[in-house]
Amino acid sequence: MVSIPVTSDSDQLAVRKSRRPDGDRLSKSARHQHIISQLTAAPTLRASELAAVLGVSTETIRRDLMELQEQKLINRTYGGASRPFALEPSLVDRKRLLIVEREAIAAAIAELIQPNEVLMLGAGATTFHVARRLAATARDITVIVNDFAIAGALATNGSIRILCCPGRYHATEGYVFGTQTIASINSYEANRAIVGATGVGARGINDADEEAGAVYGAMVKRAAEAIIVADHSKFEQRALTVFAQWSEIDRFVTDRPPEGALATAVREAGTELIVAPC
């Protein structure tokens, strides 16, 4: 468990602004918002510490936690709360989030790529930004993809050869998956695999969709170098399937340095950390 002081001036201002005009206590909706916000920064929270910070009784906090769990926004634990397993927003929504951070990650990836390389590029919002940057800067490369939007982004560069994997089409995510997709990936060799994730944690790299995770895991295994691209919002997020361990990953490209157990796992695995300046 970790303590949860209001850690910044902006957090303090948000708490002050949320107080009822007729008293010092926060409204229920403001307390709920604060709890969810804190769980984005720390994986677990103590009910007693939440009560002290928010100026309410532990009984009030327990009721708040019960309601948030019923809404599937948190998991209640003995004495507090933890993050629920990550459920990814829709692809359309993800493409609107953290654009500056993802473009910085994409720029860092583009600097690594040399002419005549063969890449495997997984589906997703961050890898879509990578594809757009590669289309603007790369020359004479081959890219193996399982995502039609990524293929379209790369196709604006006539010097990029695009190989599309077959498979079952995921209508809402725009990628293909399944046994045909993995068989196709296993028929290739690549210089680098570049894949995203729902979450990155000390226990490995995970995805909310087991079918997507199986494709990314296959890409990681078929490339001479495996690269994970994930912004800071993915740190310590847990999801359904772990598709790779840090020992399998050569580079981790992100927008902020990880801390704690995640930082230790990356360092001990010998994975190169690249922090892209935003």
Side-chain angles (χ1 to χ4, degrees), residues 87-228:
L87 296 174
E88 292 237 275
S90 70
L91 181 62
V92 172
D93 290 337
R94 298 200 309 274
K95 284 182 176 178
R96 295 171 179 162
L97 300 172
L98 299 163
I99 292 174
V100 171
E101 291 84 351
R102 288 169 171 169
E103 287 183 347
I105 290 169
I109 288 290
E111 292 180 0
L112 301 174
I113 307 307
Q114 302 297 317
N116 301 313
E117 286 194 352
V118 176
L119 310 179
M120 290 182 176
L121 187 56
T126 304
T127 48
F128 178 74
H129 285 279
V130 171
R132 294 203 306 180
R133 180 56 67 106
L134 291 176
T137 62
R139 294 292 180 270
D140 302 318
I141 62 173
T142 297
V143 188
I144 301 158
V145 302
N146 73 314
D147 182 302
F148 293 151
I150 284 175
L154 293 167
T156 61
N157 183 331
S159 78
I160 297 178
R161 183 170 65 153
I162 305 161
L163 303 178
C164 295
C165 296
R168 182 178 175 183
Y169 182 64
H170 193 304
T172 57
E173 291 290 309
Y175 63 74
V176 294
F177 64 94
T179 55
Q180 288 181 307
T181 309
I182 293 174
S184 177
I185 290 167
N186 287 338
S187 71
Y188 295 115
E189 295 281 355
N191 298 101
R192 310 176 203 259
I194 304 165
V195 299
T198 298
V200 291
R203 296 184 180 184
I205 301 94
N206 60 57
D207 201 89
D209 187 327
E210 72 276 16
E211 297 285 5
V215 172
Y216 305 155
M219 289 182 169
V220 164
K221 290 176 173 61
R222 296 302 297 179
E225 178 179 281
I227 303 174
I228 294 296

Side-chain angles (χ1 to χ4, degrees), residues 7-278:
T7 55
S8 68
D9 292 341
S10 60
D11 285 339
Q12 293 172 353
L13 179 60
V15 169
R16 289 197 299 269
K17 285 184 176 180
S18 300
R19 295 191 186 280
R20 292 181 182 273
D22 56 348
D24 291 331
R25 291 188 177 184
L26 294 174
S27 66
K28 179 194 290 188
S29 62
R31 293 196 309 270
H32 288 190
Q33 182 179 2
H34 179 82
I35 292 167
I36 297 300
S37 174
Q38 289 299 318
L39 277 175
T40 65
T44 58
L45 302 175
R46 288 185 183 274
S48 59
E49 293 172 341
L50 280 169
V53 168
L54 297 177
V56 296
S57 68
T58 54
E59 289 76 14
T60 296
I61 289 298
R62 290 192 185 102
R63 288 194 296 270
D64 288 339
L65 297 181
M66 186 177 297
E67 291 181 16
L68 289 170
Q69 178 172 261
E70 290 173 354
Q71 298 172 47
K72 299 182 178 180
L73 296 173
I74 67 164
N75 289 335
R76 289 188 67 197
T77 63
Y78 180 76
S82 67
R83 294 173 185 163
F85 271 28
L87 296 174
E88 292 237 275
S90 70
L91 181 62
V92 172
D93 290 337
R94 298 200 309 274
K95 284 182 176 178
R96 295 171 179 162
L97 300 172
L98 299 163
I99 292 174
V100 171
E101 291 84 351
R102 288 169 171 169
E103 287 183 347
I105 290 169
I109 288 290
E111 292 180 0
L112 301 174
I113 307 307
Q114 302 297 317
N116 301 313
E117 286 194 352
V118 176
L119 310 179
M120 290 182 176
L121 187 56
T126 304
T127 48
F128 178 74
H129 285 279
V130 171
R132 294 203 306 180
R133 180 56 67 106
L134 291 176
T137 62
R139 294 292 180 270
D140 302 318
I141 62 173
T142 297
V143 188
I144 301 158
V145 302
N146 73 314
D147 182 302
F148 293 151
I150 284 175
L154 293 167
T156 61
N157 183 331
S159 78
I160 297 178
R161 183 170 65 153
I162 305 161
L163 303 178
C164 295
C165 296
R168 182 178 175 183
Y169 182 64
H170 193 304
T172 57
E173 291 290 309
Y175 63 74
V176 294
F177 64 94
T179 55
Q180 288 181 307
T181 309
I182 293 174
S184 177
I185 290 167
N186 287 338
S187 71
Y188 295 115
E189 295 281 355
N191 298 101
R192 310 176 203 259
I194 304 165
V195 299
T198 298
V200 291
R203 296 184 180 184
I205 301 94
N206 60 57
D207 201 89
D209 187 327
E210 72 276 16
E211 297 285 5
V215 172
Y216 305 155
M219 289 182 169
V220 164
K221 290 176 173 61
R222 296 302 297 179
E225 178 179 281
I227 303 174
I228 294 296
V229 290
D231 64 74
H232 68 275
S233 71
K234 307 296 182 70
F235 292 179
E236 299 297 354
Q237 290 286 345
R238 298 186 300 161
L240 177 64
T241 182
V242 175
F243 64 82
Q245 300 296 326
W246 286 109
S247 58
E248 301 175 89
I249 305 303
D250 298 284
R251 287 188 167 113
F252 174 28
V253 184
T254 184
D255 63 304
R256 292 185 190 175
E259 299 177 350
L262 174 57
T264 299
V266 172
R267 182 175 63 254
E268 290 182 349
T271 302
E272 181 184 354
L273 176 66
I274 299 176
V275 178
C278 294

